[in-house]
Amino acid sequence: MTSIEWTNQTWNPTTGCDRISPGCDNCYALTMAKRLKGMGQAKYQNDGDPRTSGPGFALTVHPDVLTEPLRWKKPRKVFVNSMSDLFHARVPREFLARVFAVMAATPQHTYQILTKRPDRAARLLTDLCRCGAGHPPGEHFRSSMEWAATSHSDSYVPGLEHGISHRAGWPLPNVWIGTSVENQKHADLRIPALLQTPAAVRFLSCEPLLGPVWIADHIWQACTCCEGEGHDESCARCADSHCDSGHIRQLDWVIVGGESGPKARPMAPQWATSLRDQCKENHVPFFFKQWGEYAPTGYIVIGGTSRGSILTGDPVDDLGHRVEIARVGKKAAGRELDGRTHDAYPNPAARHG
């Protein structure tokens, strides 16, 4: 089980990673890997490049844990790779196919994959079959996935003897794929790649949120079934993600959170409330995970602050007032935004093209 607020279970078929952006600077997984290495944990004995990784945090695949979800009978939300990035460049394509084969064979679970490398996810999961028969995007990777689920494959996964055949559909209806967004620069880089990735649910994790982020321009796209004659209410592809103006929602969920840990950077409240308001206006479920180490004091000031407090974010009015926040610790800061919790989840029935 896990204490992560938006999931029930973690599953780490790979461990280790490399820092690639400011959101990685205080990576909790890197710190935890160093501790686990010192405790003698077998999965964390390979050291990564000290410039981008660290002790116990080299990218390592773990075939021995692939079958764990086959033993979980009760449905659960499963965060895939809380200690790694499934789409890291050094995760072999064949191993990825095995991971997806397990997810396809366990439809009772919902798998939540979070990556800072959505460009690789998009390339792999839309890879065309090379047989020349004009198969749809993703068919080549899906063929690899189905091959990995059979006893005839070098990538055979014990417990999948009956294969997954074509029952699962594509994209897999129980797999959600999201990308991490810490600031506007990386929103602009990663969201377009995520939108090219086939997934039952596409989501953003804006944690740690290090600056204001505008996502509203990415949420809707024109729905092709609405061109010319208007929307057909029986169009299953649109499901409940359709709006009256003939558009379909591309982003299904947004998670927001501040940073925790000894080197945590503060999150300005208006960064979080802006994302909440963008989600509300565009009918996107919003989940506020935590404030992190810092929380607003309730004061808006221009000049000096009370001892131990700081001013953060852009001014909130023309007079230059800023929101005051203070370091109070993760537990004391809590997870209420403007006096309430936000625990919305996406509707997995919404489907995308």
Side-chain angles (χ1 to χ4, degrees):
M1 305 304 285
T2 178
S3 61
I4 299 172
E5 289 82 353
W6 46 266
T7 195
N8 309 131
Q9 180 81 44
T10 59
W11 175 45
N12 283 285
T14 77
T15 55
C17 199
D18 289 275
R19 294 182 295 241
I20 60 172
S21 69
C24 304
D25 287 352
N26 301 320
C27 177
Y28 75 90
L30 190 154
T31 301
M32 187 178 296
K34 181 179 180 180
R35 186 182 313 127
L36 293 171
K37 175 183 171 70
M39 295 168 60
Q41 291 282 342
K43 291 174 69 174
Y44 301 94
Q45 296 306 306
N46 296 330
D47 294 344
D49 186 331
R51 297 169 299 180
T52 58
S53 185
F57 208 53
L59 196 287
T60 308
V61 300
H62 301 285
D64 56 310
V65 305
L66 279 171
T67 58
E68 282 184 355
L70 302 178
R71 299 191 293 270
W72 302 332
K73 302 306 179 185
K74 184 178 179 180
R76 59 191 74 184
K77 296 184 182 73
V78 182
F79 179 14
V80 182
N81 276 5
S82 62
M83 295 292 291
S84 185
D85 190 327
L86 189 63
F87 292 102
H88 191 288
R90 290 201 295 275
V91 178
R93 178 194 178 99
E94 294 74 17
F95 191 80
L96 272 168
R98 297 168 73 182
V99 172
F100 269 77
V102 172
M103 295 190 292
T106 50
Q108 72 272 29
H109 305 314
T110 297
Y111 293 92
Q112 301 159 311
I113 302 172
L114 182 59
T115 181
K116 285 188 173 70
R117 298 162 175 86
D119 50 344
R120 189 179 189 219
R123 285 197 309 271
L124 286 175
L125 302 184
T126 59
D127 197 4
L128 292 173
C129 180
R130 298 187 176 94
C131 67
H135 292 300
E139 190 66 24
H140 188 242
F141 183 81
R142 179 172 167 169
S143 297
S144 301
M145 179 181 76
E146 291 170 348
W147 181 248
T150 72
S151 58
H152 304 290
S153 169
D154 292 338
S155 299
Y156 167 59
V157 181
L160 303 186
E161 289 85 349
H162 301 294
I164 58 174
S165 187
H166 287 274
R167 296 188 303 260
W170 189 257
L172 295 181
N174 62 328
V175 175
W176 303 0
I177 299 180
T179 194
S180 298
V181 167
E182 63 263 46
N183 55 31
Q184 191 65 54
K185 174 183 176 181
H186 290 92
D188 293 339
L189 288 171
R190 293 174 185 158
I191 294 176
L194 176 67
L195 300 184
Q196 297 301 313
T197 305
V201 164
R202 300 187 188 105
F203 68 98
L204 303 181
S205 175
C206 303
E207 183 192 12
L209 186 58
L210 303 178
V213 176
W214 182 258
I215 64 169
D217 294 339
H218 296 290
I219 294 175
W220 297 97
Q221 71 171 3
C223 179
T224 56
C225 72
C226 299
E227 294 178 358
E229 299 180 1
H231 177 64
D232 180 353
E233 294 299 334
S234 65
C235 176
R237 185 172 72 87
C238 293
D240 65 354
S241 64
H242 188 271
C243 76
D244 293 336
S245 61
H247 288 70
I248 187 169
R249 190 172 60 235
Q250 300 186 101
L251 292 174
D252 302 292
W253 193 29
V254 173
I255 302 166
V256 169
E259 193 168 40
S260 56
K263 297 181 180 180
R265 293 157 286 185
M267 175 179 66
Q270 58 266 41
W271 302 342
T273 55
S274 171
L275 281 166
R276 176 202 61 193
D277 294 345
Q278 290 176 66
C279 287
K280 182 178 180 180
E281 183 175 348
N282 289 281
H283 312 290
V284 176
F286 176 79
F287 193 104
F288 187 67
K289 181 175 178 286
Q290 63 178 31
W291 278 105
E293 296 294 326
Y294 294 85
T297 64
Y299 292 100
I300 299 177
V301 295
I302 293 181
T305 63
S306 58
R307 184 168 182 152
S309 299
I310 61 173
L311 301 179
T312 189
D314 293 330
V316 296
D317 61 22
D318 294 338
L319 298 177
H321 288 89
R322 296 176 186 268
V323 177
E324 183 186 66
I325 63 173
R327 185 163 196 152
V328 297
K330 177 181 174 179
K331 184 175 181 180
R335 50 187 304 265
E336 288 191 355
L337 182 61
D338 282 349
R340 57 157 292 191
T341 56
H342 296 267
D343 291 329
Y345 281 86
N347 178 4
R351 295 162 61 186
H352 305 276

